[in-house]
Amino acid sequence: MKIAILASEGAPYIKSGGLGDVMEALPSALARIPGNEVVLFLPYYKKILDNPAYETELAVQFQVALGWRQQYAGIRRLKNRADGVQVYFIDSLYYFGGRDGAIYGDGDDGERYAYFSKACLDAMVALDFIPDVIQCNDWQTSLVPVFLKSQYYPFFPNTRCMFTIHNVEYQGWANSDFFDDVLTLPWEYRQRLDMSGMVNTMKGAIETADLVTTVSETYAKELMYPYYAHGMDSVLAGNAGKLTGITNGIDVNTFNPETDPAIPCHYNAETLAEGKAVCKAKLQEEVGLPVRPDVPLMVMVTRLAGHKGLDLLCHIARQLLWEEDCQLLILGTGEAQYENFFLGLAREFPERVSAKITFNLGLAARIYAGGDIYLMPSKSEPCGLSQMNAMRYGTVPVVHATGGLKDTVPSADENGKGGLGFTFQSYNADDFLGALKRCLHLYKNDPVQFRALQKTDMEQDFSWDKPAGRYMALFDRMLNG
Ligand code: GLC
């Protein structure tokens, strides 16, 4: 099957969050399936263009029509990727390569990604790569199915399009005049893109894609409710027959405690006791906490954003530290209020709390390896990847039972049996504290069972093999009705 995957970010070239990880591993997993030809399109951001590790050559170039604009696009073929995925970067100095700073957040993001979406379709035509399936991701590529149905149909008569929601919070809102100024679509599409008089490109994708997926089964159900859907519930309910949840995997080769070059001692499910003990001691040393093998080390690697459940942690942190002998280590950057809170907490409890306000992939790996307990109390979580990373390294998760957290961390009982971690159902601080205390209790009072739970976590299959198979089944369904 010929598959084109389109996204606004993809590791290792460029990544701001989980989407970048998925766009590294999913194309690769699909390319491993015999008979597949997989092509991945990404914007040629300055960070990629400036990186000498990525060798590219110009494949084709053309002008993209965007309303009254004609914008140059160079299609750069990546020459050095080994896993069979062909990567093409869309080169535009004006929209991507000439801009410093964060990849999102410019005033003209709507126009930038409308351009990207169109340039990818033009590139497929110019390269004579007419895929069976286009899989596109999040609002940045949400115009792809819209363009495909409205303007590009003659070039792609048999191509089917899947739209995947990684996070419904960002929807591609624009003023009404965006429609005429940038999109210039047939008039009937104004209605399909309309939300409260504005343009909403994600709505357009849900209405026009052949199938819609999201990144966990539970999130697919949650999206039917206003609490989770950020206004998209009625649109999704109207298209419920199209919507499926496929829980993400993780890259089990990168995240592998037996080979990870970032961690001080390698281990597997059989040698976890000795391996993690070394990793824990080194980690405590690295982050400036007393090296104490007996004390439970609770860790968190996260964007410091409200929906990650930080308000719950802030609320209970002091009580927890007063009542329990434990250490807390946070790695991440984000909203100033949380950065300041955790820095303050570390000053107040220097022997107990360490806050690393930075982005550091190596330290993240050492935290997965050296931690005992991984905290992820997210308010909502479409899938979440780091709880799976943590389990792969034998760190027991304590999570809010929502979205992908619910699907990947079945709840263990207070004896640590029958599940993979500790969960709480309703989003409030006391329930989170309760789950944490159940976990700490097991750690302190039944180390044998805690160890068994860590081992079970490490033995889970979080690879992309199963999810890639489910994507294939849906691709087949799109093609064969
Ligand atoms: C988004 C979601 C996260 C998910 C990731 C990859 O970042 O917030 O839950 O794991 O996409 O699909």
Side-chain angles (χ1 to χ4, degrees):
M1 194 182 290
K2 283 181 158 186
I3 303 164
I5 302 179
L6 278 56
S8 56
E9 58 180 271
Y13 318 106
I14 188 96
K15 167 180 148 178
S16 80
L19 173 63
D21 290 309
V22 173
M23 287 299 118
E24 178 170 31
L26 173 61
S28 214
L30 290 171
R32 280 198 293 276
I33 297 173
N36 281 351
E37 188 183 347
V38 180
V39 163
L40 171 65
F41 287 95
L42 297 169
Y44 204 34
Y45 296 105
K46 185 163 179 2
K47 219 179 139 197
I48 306 176
L49 186 154
D50 287 345
N51 189 332
Y54 307 130
E55 276 176 54
T56 66
E57 65 190 3
L58 183 65
V60 284
Q61 53 186 340
F62 45 76
Q63 301 287 325
V64 178
L66 207 60
W68 49 268
R69 304 162 192 77
Q70 291 286 327
Q71 296 287 16
Y72 170 86
I75 309 306
R76 304 209 61 99
R77 180 186 288 127
L78 180 68
K79 297 203 313 196
N80 54 344
R81 175 156 168 157
D83 64 354
V85 176
Q86 179 58 65
V87 179
Y88 289 104
F89 295 115
I90 305 292
D91 180 17
S92 160
L93 279 181
Y94 178 70
Y95 288 122
F96 302 115
R99 301 189 187 202
D100 284 312
I103 58 180
Y104 311 126
D106 285 355
D108 61 349
D109 274 4
E111 182 182 323
R112 293 169 73 208
Y113 291 106
Y115 160 86
F116 174 68
S117 301
K118 228 176 175 185
C120 291
L121 291 169
D122 287 341
M124 292 178 217
V125 175
L127 294 163
D128 198 24
F129 180 83
I130 303 301
D132 298 302
V133 165
I134 298 178
Q135 190 270 336
C136 49
N137 298 280
D138 273 351
W139 79 265
Q140 293 90 342
T141 52
S142 56
L143 285 163
V144 171
V146 175
F147 287 137
L148 201 60
K149 288 276 155 69
S150 59
Q151 295 175 335
Y152 287 75
Y153 183 75
F155 299 107
F156 299 91
N158 302 314
T159 300
R160 296 290 175 267
C161 187
M162 170 190 286
F163 177 65
T164 300
I165 300 172
H166 295 259
N167 193 338
V168 82
E169 237 179 294
Y170 309 101
Q171 301 179 350
W173 284 96
N175 287 329
S176 181
D177 49 1
F178 182 76
F179 188 82
D180 291 322
D181 182 44
V182 177
L183 302 183
T184 44
L185 294 169
W187 180 245
E188 65 265 25
Y189 281 87
R190 181 65 192 87
Q191 196 49 44
R192 304 184 89 171
L193 296 178
D194 186 80
M195 216 184 239
S196 320
M198 305 264 291
V199 167
N200 183 308
T201 61
M202 183 181 273
K203 180 189 175 211
I206 295 165
E207 297 276 346
T208 55
D210 296 294
L211 284 181
V212 179
T213 66
T214 186
V215 289
S216 69
E217 284 93 46
T218 296
Y219 194 58
K221 290 184 203 132
E222 289 172 348
L223 284 176
M224 298 295 155
Y225 297 96
Y227 178 81
Y228 292 100
H230 294 263
M232 206 54 88
D233 41 298
S234 58
V235 178
L236 282 161
N239 288 279
K242 278 192 202 173
L243 180 67
T244 310
I246 302 179
T247 304
N248 290 328
I250 56 169
D251 188 335
V252 290
N253 297 320
T254 308
F255 295 101
N256 183 354
E258 275 188 294
T259 55
D260 190 334
I263 66 175
C265 178
H266 292 146
Y267 59 94
N268 57 32
E270 305 310 320
T271 58
L272 89 108
E274 308 84 66
K276 277 186 81 73
V278 175
C279 291
K280 179 172 173 178
K282 294 263 182 207
L283 177 64
Q284 286 168 324
E285 201 182 305
E286 178 176 356
V287 301
L289 289 169
V291 178
R292 288 180 55 198
D294 56 308
V295 69
L297 174 56
M298 302 181 300
V299 297
M300 206 168 174
V301 177
T302 184
R303 249 179 316 122
L304 295 176
H307 69 262
K308 292 293 178 188
L310 296 162
D311 47 348
L312 298 195
L313 183 57
C314 293
H315 199 78
I316 59 154
R318 286 195 175 81
Q319 184 183 348
L320 180 69
L321 290 161
W322 284 324
E323 293 178 359
E324 300 275 352
D325 185 17
C326 57
Q327 294 177 339
L328 176 65
L329 166 59
I330 310 265
L331 170 68
T333 60
E335 293 171 28
Q337 53 166 325
Y338 299 120
E339 294 188 351
N340 294 335
F341 177 85
F342 290 113
L343 287 170
L345 200 65
R347 275 195 298 273
E348 195 177 331
F349 299 88
E351 304 276 287
R352 318 277 303 284
V353 179
S354 173
K356 297 289 165 202
I357 307 300
T358 168
F359 180 85
N360 180 336
L361 290 176
L363 179 55
R366 289 190 288 283
I367 291 177
Y368 294 131
D372 295 306
I373 299 170
Y374 191 81
L375 314 185
M376 201 154 169
S378 308
K379 187 166 188 190
S380 72
E381 195 61 75
C383 178
L385 303 171
S386 58
Q387 79 281 11
M388 288 187 267
N389 299 343
M391 286 188 275
R392 177 128 174 90
Y393 286 74
T395 300
V396 175
V398 177
V399 305
H400 178 212
T402 187
L405 294 173
K406 185 168 175 184
D407 296 336
T408 56
V409 188
S411 177
D413 63 20
E414 67 273 26
N415 302 313
K417 299 213 169 107
L420 300 177
F422 293 84
T423 70
F424 59 103
Q425 299 296 324
S426 50
Y427 187 72
N428 74 63
D430 288 332
D431 289 8
F432 176 38
L433 185 61
L436 260 172
K437 288 201 164 201
R438 285 199 298 282
C439 187
L440 289 168
H441 189 263
L442 184 73
Y443 178 96
K444 291 175 183 171
N445 297 305
D446 194 347
V448 173
Q449 183 50 36
F450 190 84
R451 191 68 79 212
L453 181 55
Q454 290 179 298
K455 185 164 183 281
T456 310
D457 285 351
M458 286 189 74
E459 286 164 348
Q460 299 306 306
D461 176 9
F462 292 120
S463 76
W464 269 99
D465 296 344
K466 261 188 247 154
R470 297 197 59 206
Y471 275 91
M472 286 306 291
L474 289 185
F475 293 164
D476 274 330
R477 183 171 134 198
M478 292 198 292
L479 292 169
N480 303 315

